[in-house]
Amino acid sequence: MQIQKNFRKEQWKMLFITMFCYLFFYTGRHNFGWAAKGMSAELGISYQQIGWISFSMLMGYAIGQLINGNLADRLSPKIMILTGGFLSIVCNLSISYANTYVVILILWTLNGYFQSMAWGSGSKLISNWWDSNERGKAFGFYTMAAGSSSVLTFFMALLLVQQEQSWRTLFRYPILFLLFALVLFLIIARSHPSLKGFTLQSDSAQNDSTSKLGWKESYKLVFGNKKFLIASFAIGFQSMARYGLIFWVPIHFLGNNYKESNGNLWLTLFIPIGMAVGAVSFGYISDLLFNKNRSKSIRAGMLCSCAIALLIYVIPTPHHVLAAVLMFTAGFFVYGPQANFWTLSPDILGTKLVGTGIGVMNMFAYVFAAIGEPIFGKIIDYTGNTSNIFLVVAVICAICAIIISFVKPATASEVQM
């Protein structure tokens, strides 16, 4: 009985320290959207070029997901998270002193790869500590940490912009919090219960099975599953819509002057707040309203996102209260369904391919998000109207809802245990 209590305590500790560490990872990634306006003005970079810089980071992240997700099944998730975090800090600091488009492009691409070492590794660590009966809840909290990370990054960026700080400070000050989180993670985290003298009984046989799979076999099983690939295409469009809001909406509210201070600027904070609340809520929404049918839950969320984005486009300058509600609900519905996507991975593939499956799914997510960035930038350059961001997001959300409709719940015989 005492062993069970001790394990439960350690179980929550590992979840919370992983959440706490990831809570600050976006300070080294989502800061770019806030720096883009000042960077463009100071260095003479067009918005299409800004879009390509963002594209390069997302592609670096996508390639990293494909590689590092599989590595997380084989190496220490803890070491991978620490390595990626510290190298990301180095890239951010280097960009803060850069003066050319090419240098920033290269450094931001490398930053994307280093940032990719965290999510799949954290997912693997959580899967090692939480069995299948509670893994959905654990992933809901983990995804909430990612959404909350955007809130913190937006808040820090807003403070710096309001104080008329240079865009370069956005790559220096926020990442200090990531450094602190990494140090705590180094001290507290353990990659597997066995390192604390525990065994997760329900998954022990599957862990033994996983060790016998070569990396080629793992990828073959994942890419050979049609249902999983359709879900991966769907999360691609969900991620494209998400980054359309995260990256380009700050530019929309900043106005014509990078250091222009107005009340509308703080409205952007409601987007990541909505995302954080949506992430933890959609786990319960899919269970209670859709009877654990993740596909229906995702489709409903994306259709709501489509409708809200259209409303924002039609009412470009609403009253502050209404604007805050629209920003919150936009974030809630565009990001909340992502929590359901991650549980689709073990639901379809089984628990033995958690790292590889989530890595591949996240690769699709960021390849599509990367493709969307220069498209958003080109549309803004061509039309001169940042409100078109919301119209494009609405179309993307509708496409995601259509694609996910083809993913039916997996039967017991279909799951690759």
Side-chain angles (χ1 to χ4, degrees), residues 334-363:
V334 83
Y335 186 61
Q338 193 167 108
N340 296 157
F341 273 111
W342 303 132
T343 53
L344 272 179
S345 180
D347 286 349
I348 295 174
L349 299 173
T351 56
K352 66 182 180 180
L353 293 168
V354 171
T356 305
I358 287 179
V360 169
M361 183 173 274
N362 222 4
M363 178 199 71

Side-chain angles (χ1 to χ4, degrees), residues 276-348:
V277 176
V280 72
S281 299
F282 260 79
Y284 295 100
I285 289 173
S286 66
D287 287 347
L288 299 177
L289 298 183
F290 297 97
N291 195 28
K292 297 186 179 180
N293 188 321
R294 315 300 182 190
S295 300
K296 285 186 178 180
S297 178
I298 293 168
R299 180 175 61 198
M302 299 314 294
L303 288 175
C304 288
S305 297
C306 175
I308 293 164
L310 285 174
L311 274 176
I312 298 172
Y313 176 74
V314 172
I315 316 172
T317 55
H319 185 272
H320 278 191
V321 175
L322 176 59
V325 172
L326 289 173
M327 292 298 124
F328 177 87
T329 52
F332 183 94
F333 287 109
V334 83
Y335 186 61
Q338 193 167 108
N340 296 157
F341 273 111
W342 303 132
T343 53
L344 272 179
S345 180
D347 286 349
I348 295 174

Side-chain angles (χ1 to χ4, degrees), residues 33-47:
W34 290 96
K37 177 86 66 173
M39 184 185 294
S40 174
E42 181 180 324
L43 304 181
I45 299 173
S46 70
Y47 282 124

Side-chain angles (χ1 to χ4, degrees), residues 24 27 151-161 170 173-174 177:
F24 298 99
T27 59
V151 177
L152 285 174
T153 305
F154 269 50
F155 182 74
M156 292 178 197
L158 276 165
L159 289 177
L160 291 173
V161 169
L170 292 165
Y173 300 149
F177 291 89

Side-chain angles (χ1 to χ4, degrees), residues 190-222:
R190 297 295 182 271
S191 294
H192 198 276
S194 62
L195 297 175
K196 282 280 192 175
F198 301 108
T199 301
L200 200 57
Q201 296 291 340
S202 62
D203 290 338
S204 59
Q206 290 178 16
N207 289 336
D208 291 340
S209 172
T210 304
S211 63
K212 298 175 183 177
L213 284 175
W215 66 271
K216 289 184 179 180
E217 293 175 276
S218 298
Y219 282 121
K220 186 176 180 181
L221 284 172
V222 172

